[in-house]
């Protein structure tokens, strides 16, 4: 799984990855060269060589050090660029995948939890994509280079440090995944915090109105306490590797320094060579420490990979049907002995049947919980019926493509979702190719162009997140215009005139009349109170009512 994902998301940046690898490997060569220059400098100085020779060696060392620093800076830039580019692509794929999952999946998870999955978990993978393989390979190559040079200088030092590296590598291998389960639990707890905060912020009005602030803070403390304990546990598991490396590094320094002094006193090596041994031991500390850090990052990435893989493993059960798209016309609607439940033992709909001919309007009346909204969800295929079938133009909706179905069925609810942006952007869903003339024609056809002209900047009027700046009724007017641009053959209006002032309701009713002309309509309401004028305006349509008589969601 790791290799497949690494290859998939890094392949578009293979040239940068190759440059990053080259930069690191050239830097390794310079690191191996620097102690050789210093050894020569020490021995030449001890032998009383000319000042010019010593200056030349010093300039070589400074040049190698400067080049190594420049290469390190370039490697840092490239690794960050590759890592964030790859993880941004992964975020995009995860977000697209999440949007395609069923409503059942989203019903069981909070938006905060999904944000943590898509952003938080992926952030912990950035190091894996940008540095893990290259830095691990570079560290191993540096270790092998150091050991090879030490064997060339003196087999005894080479043998001791080879044994030391072997022990360290074995310990790291044994501990490579010890913290993955704890880190996985840490990430889950972090997601719970995000979900809790998101849910409470969404309901802040009710929390304030009911004086529940103290209760919410108490609950937040409990969620944070759980996260803290799991985070500390995961940190202790990961830091154990670092502590072991500290102890083993100290042991390595004692071994090399003691052996080097003994060989120098025996006249086997020069003072410069003793420095070389000690310097190479210091250099060994860096790649071994790098391996330790990368192992800890790998454990974080391992937990992130598991959670990302779990999300990618989710499969939608609502899939495209094999049939063709619907024709651009008013649609015939039929429910044939339809039953449905949300997965528990309490059916929402029981053998509901009705027929709505094309071009007519159906009024769905019923108490709260009678299943009115559930009927609409089945038409959109947010869910599929557990028994019976739903048809449009005599075609089972399960036989239609999802894109084609939802292009021909449109809905406006009392809680309209608008986005931060201009009126124009909210009408077109940020599609800049739609001309303004078409937008003005839409408002004119719906009879609400005067309302648009009264706005401060017309189509350029900016809205805040959630449609801030418009009343509930004005937001519905924008939603009507957006729906009219879609030109669906079946229009569903869910409580379209609730909570509206008389003036806005008049505009809305006029828009509804024009919206339903030449289309099939379904209007959902708790109580049906059409005015005499509206009854006459719908005389060509058939108003009906249906009560499902069952418990709803």
């Amino acid at each position: 799984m790791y290799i497949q994902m690494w290859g998939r998301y890094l392949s578009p940046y293979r040239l940068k990855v190759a440059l990053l690898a080259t930069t690191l490997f050239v830097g390794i060569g310079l690191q191996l060269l620097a102690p050789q220059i210093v050894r020569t400098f020490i021995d030449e100085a001890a032998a009383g060589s000319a000042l010019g020779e010593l200056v030349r060696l010093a300039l070589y060392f400074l040049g190698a050090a400067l080049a190594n620093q420049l290469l390190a800076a370039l490697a840092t830039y490239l690794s960050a660029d590759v890592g964030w580019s790859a993880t941004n692509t992964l975020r995009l794929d995860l977000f697209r995948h999440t949007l395609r999952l069923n409503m059942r999946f989203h019903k069981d998870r909070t938006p905060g939890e999904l944000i943590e999955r898509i952003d938080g978990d992926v952030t912990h993978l950035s190091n894996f994509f940008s540095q893990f393989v290259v830095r691990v390979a570079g560290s191993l190559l540096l270790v092998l280079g150091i050991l090879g040079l030490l064997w060339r200088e003196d087999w005894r030092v080479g043998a001791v440090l080879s044994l030391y590296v072997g022990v360290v590598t074995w310990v790291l291998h044994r501990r490579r995944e010890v913290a993955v389960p704890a880190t996985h639990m840490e990430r889950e707890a972090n997601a719970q915090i995000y979900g809790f905060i998101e849910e409470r912020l969404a309901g802040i009005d009710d929390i304030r109105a009911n004086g529940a602030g103290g209760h919410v803070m108490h609950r937040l403390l409990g969620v944070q306490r759980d996260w803290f304990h799991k985070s500390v546990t995961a940190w202790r598991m990961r830091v154990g590797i670092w502590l072991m490396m500290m102890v083993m590094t100290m042991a390595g320094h004692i071994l090399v320094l003691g052996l080097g002094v003994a060989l120098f006193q025996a006249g086997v090596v020069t003072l410069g060579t003793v420095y070389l041994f000690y310097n190479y031991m210091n250099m060994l500390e860096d790649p071994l420490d790098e391996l330790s850090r990368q192992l800890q990052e790998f454990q974080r990435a391992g937990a992130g990979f598991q959670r990302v893989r779990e999300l990618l493993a989710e499969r939608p059960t609502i899939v495209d049907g094999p049939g063709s798209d619907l024709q651009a016309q008013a649609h015939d609607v039929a429910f044939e002995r339809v039953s449905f439940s949300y997965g528990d033992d309490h059916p929402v709909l029981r053998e509901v049947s009705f027929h709505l001919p094309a071009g007519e309007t159906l009024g769905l009346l019923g108490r709260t919980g009678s299943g009115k909204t559930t009927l609409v969800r089945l038409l959109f295929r947010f869910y599929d019926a557990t028994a019976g079938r739903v048809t449009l133009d005599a075609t089972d909706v399960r036989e239609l493509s999802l894109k084609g179905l939802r292009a021909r069925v449109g809905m406006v609810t009392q809680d309209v979702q608008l986005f931060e942006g201009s009126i124009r952007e909210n009408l077109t869903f940020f599609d800049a190719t739609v001309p303004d003339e078409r937008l003005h024609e839409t408002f004119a056809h719906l009879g609400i162009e005067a309302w648009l002209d009264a706005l401060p900047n017309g189509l350029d009027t900016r809205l805040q997140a959630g449609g801030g700046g418009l009343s509930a009724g004005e937001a519905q007017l924008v939603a009507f215009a957006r729906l009219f641009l879609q030109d669906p053959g079946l229009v569903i209006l869910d409580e379209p005139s609730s909570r509206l002032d008389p003036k806005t309701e008049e505009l809305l009713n006029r828009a509804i009349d024009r919206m339903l002309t030449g289309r099939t309509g379904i209007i959902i309401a708790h109580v049906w109170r059409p005015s005499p004028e509206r009854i006459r305006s719908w005389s060509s349509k058939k108003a009906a009512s249906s009560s499902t008589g069952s418990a709803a969601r």
Side-chain angles (χ1 to χ4, degrees), residues 143 146-147 150-151 154-169 248-249 251-257 259 276-282 284 288:
V143 168
I146 291 172
L147 292 180
L150 288 174
W151 274 94
D154 188 280
W155 68 269
R156 288 159 291 197
V157 177
V160 168
L161 283 186
S162 295
L163 179 62
Y164 166 79
V165 170
V167 172
V168 172
T169 303
M248 298 182 77
T249 298
H253 277 91
I254 293 171
L255 282 173
V256 169
L257 192 57
L259 186 57
L276 185 73
F277 294 157
Y278 187 75
N279 200 349
Y280 275 147
M281 180 60 217
N282 280 332
L284 270 178
L288 292 177

Side-chain angles (χ1 to χ4, degrees), residues 19 209 258 330 346 445 507:
L19 180 58
H346 303 285
H445 186 86
L507 287 175

Side-chain angles (χ1 to χ4, degrees), residues 123-132 135 294 297-298:
T123 296
H124 284 279
L125 298 181
S126 61
N127 177 74
F128 178 82
F129 282 117
S130 62
Q131 302 183 35
F132 181 77
R135 288 197 178 275
Q294 292 301 322
E297 290 296 332
F298 179 76

